[in-house]
Amino acid sequence: MPKPVLLWTDVLIYCLLVSSVLALFSALKKEHLRLPLRQVTGCPTAMAALVVLFFYLLVGLSDSFHFRLKLDERPGQQIQYAPEVLSLLDIFVGPLRTRVETTYSAPLAIEAYTKETVEDKTGRRSRVYPRLLYGGSHLKDPNLRLSDIYGKAVKGSAFGLVVVTFLATIGVFLLSRVHKTVWRITAGRVLRGQCHAAWRTTFITAGVLIIIFFALAPLATHYHLLGTDKVGQDVLYLSLKAVRTGLVIATLTTLIMLPFAVLLGISAGYFKGRIDDLIQYLYTTLSAVPGVLLIAAAVLMLQIYMDIHADDFSSIAQRADIRLFFLCVILGSTGWIGLCRLLRGETLKITELEYVQAARALGVSQWKIITRHVLPNVTHIILISAVLDCSGLVLSEAVLSYVGVGVDPSMISWGNMINSARLEMAHEPIIWWSLLAAFMMMFGLVLSANIFADGVRDALDPHLQRG
Amino acid sequence: MTQILLSVRNLCTTFDGSKVVVRAVDDVSFDIRRGEIFCLLGESGCGKSITALSILRLLPSAGRIASGTIFFDGVDLCRLSEENMRLYRGKRIAMIFQEPMTALNPVMTIGQQIAEVRQRHFSERPVDSHRRTLALLDQVGIPDPKRRYDAYPHQMSGGMKQRVMIAMALAGEPEVLIADEPTTALDVTIQAQILDLLRAIQKARGMAVLLITHDLGVVSEVADRVAVMYAGQIVELAERQAFFQASKHPYSKKLFDSLPHRAKRGESLAVIRGGVPALSSVFIGCRFANRCDEAWEVCETATPRWLTQEGTGVRCHLYDATVSKNQVPVASTYPKKDRQEKESGAWGEGAVASPLLRVSDLAVHFPIHQGLFQSVVGHVKAVDGISFEIDVGKTLALVGESGSGKTTAGKAILRLIQPTRGLIHFQGVDIAKLHGKELRAMRKSFQIVFQDPYASLNPRMMVGEILREGLVVHRIDPGREDVRIDRLLEQVGLLADAKRRYPHEFSGGQRQRISIARALSVAPRFIVCDEPTSSLDASIQAQILNLLKQLQVQLGLSYLFITHNLSIVEYLADDVAVMYLGRIVEYGKVGEVLASPRHPYTQALLSAVPEIDPKTQREIIRLQGDIPSPISPPSGCHFHPRCPHAMPICKETYPSPTEKGTTHRVLCHLY
């Protein structure tokens, strides 16, 4: 039995997951919330984005179950555990983690990226591109590389197609059970895109993703799909591991930031007068302090704390994790100013509107006015700015890593990848794959989050509701 | 003089949506002669403004001129290239817009903005255009043009801005001036000034004017000829005289009937059922048929022809000799709501008179903060000591120009704004002294209906939720709210399925009904109506006024009716209070005040109302200038700088009330 390790951020992720599932179920019970939800499922772009997000979530979640493996038992000894903290993801992608080259290699390469001096049996020295330890090591003849790659990709996609067909059949079968119709009719409806929910788009997006997965999987295990970095680690592995860091920074920080921004912004706009003065004073002061300085101070303080209480943080992973968590807290408690200001302005406008006055005339309590009349009319601002902030946060993590106060250097994150790419870009010949990988992964996450948030916002707007 | 300058023939303008094509203007033809004022009259959504924008080829991107020709001085504007069209826009055809507040660039001085037009069209030297601009400002009646040249738009009042807009339009020395509702956003007294100005300039320059309006009064004041638009078509075209003496089309007749007037007191107004049909629908037969009392079968099936006779025209089967009229009007198959209302008519004066609300010496002062420590440097005296009484089942009208503090007074009585001083006795309780829970519990007795039907309903709540809110707060009929909501909707003339719809699915008039239902939900005794009809079309206004009157009789409600429309006052109110700069200057029964106004301000207000009956000759008192700022009101009587009867004493002391009869009170040194 491996020994589970509970990290701070893990706990928070579980809480977030459970509470969002509960919230979704309670929303399904209320009619005025069910309608927008139905509309989200009917919006093809939002559903496609949701599928992509789901893949990210899957990676991030499987990377959030941590444990330490048992070491080989020796008789008469206490059970020993490996010092390394692993996650489910590490197990899933197994070979990616362990197949470490000596240094840089290009994507899908079988030889190193730079020449090295090699001494052969006769003692003659020559400068050649040495073969990689793992990348394409199954190939005897280097000339077969391309055909092998194509062969594996085609075989993989064919297999993927079979899997997709199988899954789609199961999907349609389940749908027909839910709709209580013959599966033929359901299949026809899905194919023609006549369902209320955008099942066609969902199936196609998921299908494409699954086929890509199966096409790339054999390549990833036999080669380094996205190359390797300076110390020979597989870049694909790094980008997958970085998903969790990105998700944690984006969601936890937003979660910490939102209560500040919403509560303070709306109360400033609603109550006006002294309360408004106070809140404005607070955020003006806070925004006058350079953010990086504040974060650097907090992180250094944490560092000292950890050094003093070294016993509480037994493993590297725990130290890195607490630093990530603290970073989220500090980013969250300084990042609410922009949204707060926006909400204050919008609330000022809304409280002057006549429906708020009418509610006051009816004797509705302040709290109810805020939650029923003001909050629903500013949700679009909250949604959009929260999602846009997410991408900004992932980026600011990169910037902070550059300054040296970001996530722990041992933690794999897009920020650290981009940060190391700084030197790689200056390398001759240029090493582009780390940056590209980080960029593609971030791009996919931010874009799909944006599109999905757009769909949700449209669904919440009664003006755009269809029948 | 009769030479045709602008000739629009068979103009069709469409908006291509993703699913439907909206025919905003459908086969419209008219001519404008040199030197005449041609009025385009109609309700909102009839295609008036789109017609004007089509002439200037300034349509929004979704719109296009589908067919038709627009000949201006022999040139077809539809065929001009965009570059050549720009030589016409602003130069030979100029336009002024409805909203003077947003039509001027806030970061340029008004002088620069006018001079820009001169330089664009006449390639003048800056010195010359400066001189011409000063002349223009003088011509549109802006005092002290030299100083005003360097003023920014925010430094001027609405009326002044509209004058600047006119000056700007005149700068290109146009032959046709298109004015799109130029006075709708202005007070009556300012409206009278602007209309005077337009007419004077038009006479002096021999310009043609295309005036777009929804106000019959404006038409009767200035028009030479009138075209009535309905659902994208012109339904009647006539000389003003003929139009006002005997309009032909049933729609025009209905428009006249639906205006509130003194003579119609005690009976309900004729209403036009329903609303303007959506222009995206495909019309068979007459577009007005489903709202018309005189419609018969032909109207449902055949499209009426455009019947012309000596420059006038009408689009109605009634005047078509080729259509047989020996048919029973199908109108009888429609629910004759208005007729029934008339029969049950005769709104009684039955309610027993006892004061429900007594306001004495109510004042609302807003402090002006300045400086680092936000110290109070002065007060805006929005309401400055007003007193009145409202009896059970009666209506008090509060009238005055915008900026006179009417709305502030209304909100202060409901404690939506904290009054600075004064007593508000409601059923014997002073609500000015109530706080917290007591006040909230009391709130169910007095409610408010707002002016803007678009801002007064929360767009994210369904109508049922909106109506439920008050019921839940005051625990009215717990558990049986739905029954009560259904009854409320029925009371205001809406269907029960409105509950599950969002406000944006309703028209302006229907939204106003929902607002009224919300106010009624808590069974109040007293309702403040803050200009509830001023943003509605005439026919819808009549529906709402009827509803309010009917509810008053049924439920014994008292109203404080805030309005600037004196014809509504004549029709609806029992007592009138005329407000000027936060104070009531004249107070009394409707009959007394409106029949023999004593205060010069009341007299001026009354005379500024455009009269739709051209036979009544009245002496028009034109008020000069605008209402002063309540931050620094004039010394003595606030009205003296604009008063035609001002005496030396008026500058020194504020007049004390003079009683004229038992109920009539006036504050003026003349008495």
Side-chain angles (χ1 to χ4, degrees), chain A residues 217-283:
Chain A
L219 296 180
T221 47
H222 288 90
Y223 297 90
H224 296 292
L225 186 62
L226 291 171
T228 54
D229 72 349
K230 193 175 178 184
V231 293
Q233 274 187 304
D234 191 295
V235 174
L236 178 64
Y237 172 68
L238 296 183
S239 349
L240 287 178
K241 285 292 272 186
V243 167
R244 176 177 182 271
T245 320
L247 283 178
V248 165
I249 290 201
T251 51
L252 280 192
T253 311
T254 310
L255 211 67
I256 292 164
M257 177 193 87
L258 274 187
F260 282 109
V262 173
L263 224 68
L264 293 181
I266 291 184
S267 9
Y270 184 81
F271 295 106
K272 305 189 182 83
R274 289 262 176 265
I275 295 177
D276 186 23
D277 288 348
L278 196 78
I279 292 168
Q280 274 194 72
Y281 187 81
L282 187 71
Y283 70 59

Side-chain angles (χ1 to χ4, degrees), chain B residues 508-521:
Chain B
Q510 287 172 321
R511 280 158 170 256
Q512 208 58 297
R513 287 173 190 268
I514 297 169
S515 292
I516 293 170
R518 173 177 59 193
L520 290 178
S521 68

Side-chain angles (χ1 to χ4, degrees), chain B residues 18 28 40 160 236 248 295 361 399 404 425 529 587 614 654:
Chain B
S18 54
V28 162
L40 216 48
M160 282 293 166
E236 183 168 359
K248 286 181 175 164
D361 196 28
V399 293
S404 57
H425 277 284
C529 302
Y587 179 77
Y654 199 85

Side-chain angles (χ1 to χ4, degrees), chain B residues 559-570:
Chain B
Y559 292 138
L560 175 65
F561 205 94
I562 298 170
T563 182
H564 65 270
N565 186 338
L566 286 164
S567 49
I568 296 181
V569 176
E570 287 179 316

